[in-house]
Amino acid sequence: MTAEKLILDGNRVAEEIKDRLKERIARLSDQGIVPCLATILVGDDPSSETYVRMKGNACKRLGMESIRIDLPESISTEELVAEIDKLNADPGVHGILLQHPVPSHIDERAAFEAIHIDKDLDGVTTLGFARNAFGFADYPSCTPAAILAILDYYRIPIEGKHAVVIGRSPILGKPVSLMLLNRNATVTTCHSRTVQLEEAVRLGDIVVAAVGKPKFVRGDWIKPGAVVIDAGYNTGNVGDVDYDECLQHASAITPVPAGVGPVTIATLLKHTVDAAEKRA
Ligand code: NAP
């Protein structure tokens, strides 16, 4: 008999998060406040354009405001920082999201650091990251927070479990590793120099894939009964795990699309409302 598989439905989790925001947005509206997220897009990368549009549309659907700043590919770091400073100074803007990657001639770190901590809703500044690492961030990085929200929604235990994260980027692999550690998981973080990666992944009760390579994680790497979270999003709606293969071994798995992606957006909206309430 095949054990029942749990498909971790990100749309369901996202809807619950957004439903809870509606009343809070209405209360803010009574005070004349509309939560506002500013997104900055540098250049015209089509995927980045899509992400920015999706975030703007999600704001509008909930009656929130979104400001979109489109900047030319040729912009300098100084000019980009000046744009961010304008948004920092604008009391009507509650959060600033710089869509990345930015063109390679720009100092991305300098641009992220320019975002005021009160408007850093994605934990991209050094201080935002550090607060998240200590476990007391107001706005932990959105995709890692979304991953934990999915695990919590489905009451998947974290404490005492061995979590294996593949990827160590500052916006995803590293913060999610720290957040799982803060929830008392034993965490292994893998990266491109990890030797015997497959063996490391086989230890995972929870496997988080954040690699940026389509169908990278194979089914026979997954310990029977493990929970697989696919944070990846590649061209053609393909995740970082081989879904069909991993489904055979996992007890629970997030699909792509409709897994981590919609919960990330819902988390960003939640952080924007949190920031607006804080200001109010
Ligand atoms: P990234 O900055 O490119 O980082 C990729 C990580 O994977 C790096 O740490 C890299 O290791 C590691 N890696 C690369 N090749 C590897 C290999 N052969 N073996 C083991 N590790 C390897 O990517 P990211 O921004 O973290 O994004 C990761 C994925 O998540 C992408 O698919 C992206 O589209 C997706 N994403 C989704 C959301 C969402 O809302 N769902 C949000 C953000 C990103 P090194 O550090 O050694 O180079």
Side-chain angles (χ1 to χ4, degrees), residues 6-246:
L6 183 58
I7 309 302
L8 305 171
D9 181 352
N11 284 334
R12 212 165 124 184
V13 183
E15 282 314 313
E16 196 194 76
I17 294 170
K18 287 189 279 186
D19 273 350
R20 285 210 218 109
L21 293 179
K22 285 177 188 159
E23 203 180 310
R24 295 170 62 191
I25 293 168
R27 266 201 304 268
L28 283 165
S29 169
D30 291 344
Q31 299 171 61
I33 297 163
V34 182
C36 173
L37 175 70
T39 50
I40 304 173
L41 177 63
V42 183
D44 51 12
D45 175 69
S47 312
S48 295
E49 205 279 331
T50 306
Y51 297 142
V52 167
R53 191 159 21 86
M54 282 165 72
K55 286 162 190 166
N57 289 342
C59 282
K60 285 192 193 100
R61 276 197 294 271
L62 273 190
M64 294 165 57
E65 201 181 328
S66 74
I67 297 175
R68 178 171 156 169
I69 315 281
D70 284 290
L71 299 170
E73 175 105 22
S74 57
I75 197 165
S76 68
T77 302
E78 292 68 29
E79 288 165 326
L80 175 57
V81 166
E83 290 291 337
I84 293 169
D85 275 340
K86 277 191 224 161
L87 296 170
N88 282 335
D90 184 339
V93 170
H94 301 106
I96 303 170
L97 196 91
L98 171 62
Q99 186 65 41
H100 76 113
V102 293
S104 56
H105 68 273
I106 290 176
D107 182 345
E108 185 176 87
R109 180 74 349 238
F112 279 147
E113 294 303 340
I115 298 173
H116 191 282
I117 184 67
D118 291 342
K119 299 189 181 188
D120 173 17
L121 305 188
D122 199 17
V124 296
T125 60
T126 307
L127 184 54
F129 181 94
R131 285 184 178 172
N132 193 21
F134 278 107
F136 54 73
D138 287 329
Y139 315 115
S141 311
C142 291
T143 305
I147 291 169
L148 268 79
I150 293 171
L151 293 171
D152 288 341
Y153 180 92
Y154 284 99
R155 299 179 194 281
I156 293 169
I158 299 173
E159 181 162 325
K161 300 295 177 189
H162 192 149
V164 177
V165 178
I166 317 166
R168 58 171 168 181
S169 72
I171 56 126
L172 216 178
K174 222 172 258 179
V176 80
S177 296
L178 291 162
M179 289 165 83
L180 288 163
L181 184 64
N182 289 340
R183 292 283 299 270
N184 298 321
T186 300
V187 181
T188 300
T189 307
C190 304
H191 47 81
S192 64
R193 315 289 165 86
T194 298
V195 290
Q196 298 184 313
L197 176 72
E198 300 172 31
E199 278 73 10
V201 176
R202 273 189 201 108
L203 297 175
D205 302 306
I206 299 169
V207 175
V208 178
V211 199
K213 293 200 158 112
K215 296 189 177 188
F216 180 77
V217 178
R218 308 303 303 263
D220 62 357
W221 302 8
I222 302 300
K223 177 160 98 175
V227 174
V228 177
I229 305 289
D230 188 351
Y233 191 76
N234 305 288
T235 315
N237 274 344
V238 181
D240 286 354
V241 313
D242 188 314
Y243 180 82
D244 293 331
E245 283 187 15
C246 290

